[in-house]
Amino acid sequence: MTTNSPQTRTTTFAVFSTIAAFTIWGLSPVYFKQVAHVSPTEVLAHRVIWSFLLLALVAYVQKEMPVVHQLLKDRKTLLTLTVTAVIIGLNWLVYIWSITNNHIVDASLGYYLNPIVNVLLGMIFLKEKLSPMQKLALLLASAGVAWQVISLGRLPAVSLILAVSFGFYGLIRKRIAAPAVPGLLLETMIMIPLGLGWLLWLAVQGNSAFVLTDFSTCGWLVLAGVITSAPLLLFTSAAPKLRLTTIGFIQYLAPTLALMLGVLMYGEPFGHNLQISFGFIWAALLVFSSEAVLKAKAK
């Protein structure tokens, strides 16, 4: 196979698409800082509504609406998507709150923890056996969390909520045959009544930030749909063409960019105790990723 073969070009394009997706996710705090003056619940409502409209357009263009209709007829799948909608809604809300309240570092830690949480959930709910290296990674990650509790006197609640909620979201979504775009379209559709209801209530009370005379805020809130959907579309189009180990390494780009933004751009504290905690987590990810590479080479 030559370096200019169609397969090589396809793989290269998939790698760049995946990098672009995780770059957008990693830089998303810059966007949410632009709407920091808007309440997290109102930002979430706009994120749901504009994402739904954009995903509906994408599903129509990609001729995926028949899949959406089929999913709507399956009560079990629809019930499962209702559960995942609640979980991803909570994840989005906590993430928005963390960015607008200067907890970007905590949010980045949550997404560093996510691969380890996935392994733990697999062990508990799917009865997957952990290898010695996975056990070591889990032990190191636990030590990192424990260090925060002991040294800082608090549980890293934001980090744990983000990691655990996204872990459960992935675990449950694995059990249903719902492609990414139709699945997320239905999840946002399920959240639409709450989102519209909340925006209507804010408007009636005179507390809505979505005022037509404030073009800047309105524009940023509408952009929430693109910020949510664009990286998802990039990732889902590229992921099937890449090895899981490749995706596994690229996914660390998002929390790394977020951490750099939090510390270097927004001046969040990253003292000695936090550095030690992150050190444990990074060591866990190094062990976890090394094993993935070794398995891939063995195959």
Side-chain angles (χ1 to χ4, degrees):
M1 184 175 68
T2 63
T3 55
N4 291 321
S5 69
Q7 184 177 346
T8 300
R9 289 196 296 270
T10 299
T11 302
T12 302
F13 181 77
V15 167
F16 279 109
S17 294
T18 306
I19 290 173
F22 283 102
T23 299
I24 294 171
W25 278 321
L27 296 179
S28 64
V30 176
Y31 163 77
F32 288 109
K33 283 291 187 181
Q34 304 306 311
V35 290
H37 60 288
V38 183
S39 71
T41 51
E42 186 172 359
V43 175
L44 175 62
H46 280 284
R47 186 175 189 180
V48 167
I49 291 166
W50 300 113
S51 295
F52 169 77
L53 294 174
L54 183 56
L55 287 166
L57 177 62
V58 171
Y60 177 78
V61 171
Q62 294 184 346
K63 303 186 186 310
E64 292 185 288
M65 292 309 290
V67 178
V68 175
H69 295 149
Q70 187 177 359
L71 293 173
L72 281 170
K73 295 176 183 178
D74 188 331
R75 288 187 178 183
K76 184 178 179 180
T77 298
L78 200 56
L79 179 61
T80 304
L81 286 172
T82 301
V83 174
T84 56
V86 172
I87 294 173
I88 199 63
L90 171 66
N91 181 276
W92 286 353
L93 180 61
V94 173
Y95 185 75
I96 294 166
W97 181 91
S98 68
I99 302 305
T100 56
N101 286 273
N102 303 315
H103 288 281
I104 299 175
V105 171
D106 290 338
S108 71
L109 177 61
Y111 287 109
Y112 276 126
L113 280 170
N114 185 244
I116 309 300
V117 169
N118 289 339
V119 170
L120 183 61
L121 292 178
M123 179 189 72
I124 296 172
F125 293 99
L126 303 179
K127 308 302 179 185
E128 295 176 353
K129 292 184 178 180
L130 299 187
S131 67
M133 291 184 74
Q134 286 177 328
K135 289 178 181 178
L136 175 59
L138 189 58
L139 184 64
L140 287 168
S142 300
V145 174
W147 181 264
Q148 277 209 39
V149 175
I150 295 169
S151 63
L152 303 179
R154 62 177 175 85
L155 193 70
V158 167
S159 306
L160 291 176
I161 291 172
L162 289 174
V164 173
S165 62
F166 203 69
F168 270 108
Y169 176 76
L171 177 69
I172 298 172
R173 278 295 299 266
K174 271 185 178 181
R175 299 191 172 193
I176 56 174
V181 172
L184 189 59
L185 173 59
L186 287 179
E187 286 168 341
T188 53
M189 184 191 75
I190 290 166
M191 291 188 278
I192 278 284
L194 286 175
L196 285 175
W198 182 243
L199 291 183
L200 181 61
W201 170 257
L202 290 175
V204 170
Q205 297 296 311
N207 296 322
S208 174
F210 195 79
V211 181
L212 294 180
T213 53
D214 186 352
F215 295 112
S216 177
T217 298
C218 288
W220 283 115
L221 289 173
V222 171
L223 193 60
V226 177
I227 295 296
T228 301
S229 305
L232 173 73
L233 295 172
L234 285 168
F235 177 72
T236 54
S237 65
K241 304 177 182 69
L242 298 176
R243 292 181 177 182
L244 287 177
T245 49
T246 303
I247 296 171
F249 278 111
I250 296 175
Q251 75 174 358
Y252 299 136
L253 178 63
T256 301
L257 287 172
L259 176 63
M260 292 172 65
L261 283 174
V263 175
L264 301 177
M265 186 170 178
Y266 297 111
E268 290 190 16
F270 193 60
H272 183 64
N273 287 324
L274 264 179
Q275 291 171 21
I276 292 175
S277 182
F278 268 81
F280 277 116
I281 304 301
W282 287 333
L285 292 175
L286 179 61
V287 171
F288 181 79
S289 301
S290 297
E291 185 190 45
V293 170
L294 291 173
K295 284 183 176 179
K297 286 184 176 180
K299 288 181 180 180

